[in-house]
Amino acid sequence: MKITVLTLFPEMLRGFFESSIMARAVKKGLVEYELVNIRDYALDKHHKCDDLVFGGGAGMLMLPGPLGACLDAVGARERRTVFVTPSGRLFNQAYARDLSQEGSLVVICGHYEGIDQRIIDEYVDDEISIGDYVLSSGEVAALVLVDAVFRLLPGAISGESLEEESFSGSGESGLLEYPQFTRPADYGTSKVPEVLTSGHHAKIAGWRLRERLKKTLAYRPELLASVGLPEEVQRLLAEIVTEGGSHEPYAEDPGRADQG
Ligand code: ADE
C-alpha cells in the first residue's frame, strides 16, 4: 500500500514510519510512504498556508491554493483521499478494514480550524473522525488512522494476533479482548488465574470467553447487542448478569474523581 500524508509538520510523523512494526512493514515492501509538506506548495515569499474565515468566526483556515497544488502533485484525484477531522464520520475497525483494501491512500492532516470546503468537495472521498474529542493537530489523528489500517495488510503482523483482538469481527470475536498474563506466575501478591497454567485448552477457552463477556458488559455493553452472539454464549452472558455482572476490576465508575 502506498500511503501519502500531506502535512504542515512532517517531522511529527517521520518517527512513526521509521519505528517498530511500521518500519518492518516498510522494509518488507508492504508499505511505501511519502510525507509531503503542504508549505512547499505555498508559493508566496512567506509560504503562507492559512487565512481568516469568510463570514467571521474564530481561528484560521488552511488556504485552498497550497493544499490543492499539493493534492494535484500526489495524484489525489486518482487515489482514495481522506481528511481527518473531528467533524467527519466516526472511525472504527470496520472502516480500517475497508481502507486497508486500497492499494493507495492519501491522508490530509488539518490544522487551525480546518480546510476550505472547496478542497473537500473537489478531492476528499472520506472525512474521518477518530473519536468524539478534539485534538490540536490532525497529525495525531492521521497516525491513529494509518496505524489501524496498515497493520491489517497481509504480512504486517501475525494473523493469529488479529483474530483474537477486540472488534475483529462478529460473534465472540466482536467482544473486547480477555485479560492476558505473562511470567512470573506470582507477581507481588497476585497470582495468574490457575486455569491459565493448567494446560487444559477447553477450560482456558471457556475462561477467556467468560472474561471477554464480563469486560464487554462492564465497559462497552452496547457492543453486546450488535455483535450477534450465538445462543450458548448469550446463555453464558445471562448467567454472568444474574451473578452480578462484571468482576471487581471492571466494575469501577469510569468517571471517578481519582482518575486524574
Ligand atoms: N483533528 C482534531 N481532532 C480530530 C479528531 N477527533 N478526529 C480526526 N481529526 C481530528
Side-chain angles (χ1 to χ4, degrees):
M1 169 183 267
K2 179 168 179 182
I3 302 173
T4 300
V5 187
L6 310 192
T7 168
L8 288 169
F9 300 96
E11 293 319 311
M12 279 181 76
L13 300 151
R14 202 171 305 283
F16 170 75
F17 283 93
E18 291 178 356
S19 311
S20 187
I21 302 171
M22 175 55 102
R24 209 174 58 206
V26 171
K27 204 165 166 196
K28 280 187 187 170
L30 301 174
V31 173
E32 185 191 334
Y33 74 96
E34 188 181 25
L35 303 176
V36 184
N37 194 335
I38 300 163
R39 206 172 290 282
D40 292 344
Y41 293 83
L43 300 178
D44 68 301
K45 77 171 182 219
H46 299 295
H47 299 287
K48 185 177 159 72
C49 281
D50 63 321
D51 210 328
L52 298 168
V53 183
F54 276 125
M60 308 287 269
L61 215 56
M62 283 170 79
L63 288 171
L67 186 51
C70 189
L71 283 158
D72 283 334
V74 302
R77 287 177 207 272
E78 290 78 48
R79 306 170 64 187
R80 180 98 172 247
T81 298
V82 309
F83 169 47
V84 282
T85 165
S87 54
R89 185 184 299 166
L90 206 55
F91 192 55
N92 62 16
Q93 191 66 16
Y95 212 146
R97 226 173 284 125
D98 174 47
L99 293 177
S100 74
Q101 307 296 313
E102 298 286 338
S104 162
L105 214 54
V106 177
V107 184
I108 305 169
C109 302
H111 260 272
Y112 318 115
E113 287 304 303
I115 66 178
D116 190 289
Q117 184 62 38
R118 290 164 294 184
I119 292 290
I120 297 175
D121 296 343
E122 189 72 23
Y123 296 93
V124 172
D125 299 302
D126 306 65
E127 291 178 82
I128 302 178
S129 166
I130 62 155
D132 291 340
Y133 41 80
V134 180
L135 304 165
S136 60
S137 68
E139 281 72 14
V140 176
L143 287 182
V144 170
L145 181 136
V146 168
D147 190 291
V149 169
F150 97 91
R151 64 191 293 284
L152 298 175
L153 298 175
I157 61 171
S158 93
E160 251 173 54
S161 311
L162 290 179
E163 270 166 33
E164 293 224 323
E165 66 190 14
S166 308
F167 315 117
S168 58
S170 58
E172 290 162 35
S173 57
L175 299 172
L176 300 188
E177 207 172 352
Y178 49 79
Q180 300 188 83
F181 302 85
T182 184
R183 276 180 282 221
D186 285 0
Y187 174 67
T189 54
S190 149
K191 278 192 166 71
V192 169
E194 237 173 79
V195 61
L196 298 180
T197 53
S198 67
H200 195 301
H201 296 300
K203 279 189 183 161
I204 293 172
W207 182 88
R208 285 179 168 170
L209 173 57
R210 219 180 150 78
E211 292 299 315
R212 295 186 85 165
L213 287 166
K214 286 202 286 194
K215 192 165 185 179
T216 310
L217 181 64
Y219 286 172
R220 301 290 306 276
E222 79 282 6
L223 292 177
L224 292 167
S226 60
V227 292
L229 294 171
E231 230 169 82
E232 72 275 15
V233 180
Q234 286 191 31
R235 272 199 297 274
L236 182 56
L237 176 61
E239 215 178 281
I240 292 168
V241 173
T242 313
E243 281 166 11
S246 57
H247 67 50
E248 270 302 307
Y250 309 131
E252 294 160 355
D253 173 11
R256 73 190 201 280
D258 63 347
Q259 280 193 331

